[in-house]
Amino acid sequence: MTIRVLLVDDQPLLRTGFRFILEAEADVTVVGEAGDGATAMEQSRALLPDVVLMDVRMPGTDGIEATRRIVREAAPTAHVPKVLVLTTFDLDEYIVEALRAGASGFLLKDVPPDDLVQAIRVVAAGDAIVAPSVTRRLLDRFAARLPSAHQQATPARLDRLTERELEVLRLIAKGMSNAEIAATLVVSETTVKTHVGNVLTKLGLRDRVQAVVLAYETGLIIPGAFS
């Protein structure tokens, strides 16, 4: 299967660089480009990409609103593009909103080429990308805004999980892939996929990105508490 990618960034030079990297891959093709959110929405409707590589800060409609509309408009159809948001350290404060808007993950703009390609493959397959280093920095930065233990409104949600599912949720929140979780727990990757599916279903979550946010919001993981 060829993964169809739409590049969205207001800097033409960056789009050219991403296109150069992606079109070197046999299983990836760039079907279009956009320099702002409004154009991205139009291109998404017209081109039906599998993955939208989305910048955050752009003139006019920003990447967060564009993500929200792309996901919302496509939801009733059979084809919902996966949105992979690009950010820099200075823009981390936007990422929580991007994830809530429906993004499947986020990467730094200086991501190594191989990691960029792999991330696109991962989200195209229906999974989500949570880069551990970015997640730590982001959630440490937001620690003061997260509820404390006595402020938790929905800790009972976690009671729905088994001990093993709670353990899997903790590892997801640390940014581990299914393969890494399988190696840590000494189980098969198929077993991990089953546990991840159970966690998402029981907690009513869309993907593992939402699972990370919930793990922090409920105090299951404390910002800065893991290495």
Side-chain angles (χ1 to χ4, degrees):
M1 182 188 76
T2 299
I3 302 170
R4 297 164 53 82
V5 178
L6 172 63
L7 301 177
V8 185
D9 196 294
D10 63 339
Q11 299 182 45
L13 187 59
L14 275 178
R15 296 201 306 269
T16 299
F18 289 138
R19 178 184 282 272
F20 179 79
I21 292 169
L22 298 179
E23 291 193 334
E25 302 297 323
D27 61 337
V28 180
T29 184
V30 176
V31 296
E33 298 182 17
D36 59 75
T39 304
M41 291 184 287
E42 295 173 1
Q43 293 279 61
S44 182
R45 286 191 291 266
L47 301 174
L48 300 178
D50 300 305
V51 177
V52 179
L53 199 60
M54 180 76 75
D55 187 19
V56 175
R57 180 173 288 179
M58 296 180 291
T61 304
D62 65 20
I64 295 173
E65 183 59 26
T67 295
R68 182 178 294 111
R69 294 186 190 180
I70 286 172
V71 173
R72 181 187 301 160
E73 289 180 9
T77 72
H79 185 87
V80 181
K82 306 296 183 181
V83 180
L84 189 56
V85 175
L86 294 170
T87 184
T88 65
F89 177 76
D90 291 334
L91 297 181
D92 278 347
E93 64 269 21
Y94 293 93
I95 301 307
V96 168
E97 290 306 315
L99 297 178
R100 288 173 178 162
S104 292
F106 54 91
L107 297 173
L108 292 177
K109 280 192 174 182
D110 62 356
V111 61
D114 289 346
D115 290 351
L116 172 64
V117 174
Q118 182 59 23
I120 287 173
R121 290 176 177 140
V122 168
V123 298
D127 209 334
I129 284 293
V130 183
S133 60
V134 180
T135 302
R136 292 186 191 121
R137 187 172 63 240
L138 172 65
L139 291 168
D140 285 348
R141 189 168 177 174
F142 274 79
R145 303 187 190 182
L146 296 177
S148 62
H150 68 277
Q151 292 174 320
Q152 293 173 21
T154 57
R157 293 179 69 179
L158 300 183
D159 290 342
R160 306 170 191 173
L161 305 182
T162 65
E163 284 300 317
R164 178 46 63 94
E165 288 165 354
L166 275 173
E167 192 172 11
V168 168
L169 178 55
R170 289 189 185 95
L171 297 177
I172 291 173
K174 293 181 180 181
M176 288 190 180
S177 66
N178 285 351
E180 290 169 333
I181 294 173
T184 298
L185 300 181
V186 195
V187 297
S188 71
E189 196 167 343
T190 299
T191 298
V192 172
K193 289 180 180 178
T194 299
H195 287 316
V196 172
N198 289 341
V199 168
L200 300 182
T201 299
K202 289 182 178 181
L203 298 179
L205 303 174
R206 183 185 65 247
D207 54 38
R208 62 200 298 141
V209 174
Q210 288 191 339
V212 171
V213 174
L214 178 66
Y216 279 83
E217 288 180 336
T218 58
L220 184 65
I221 291 289
I222 305 301
F226 62 87
S227 58

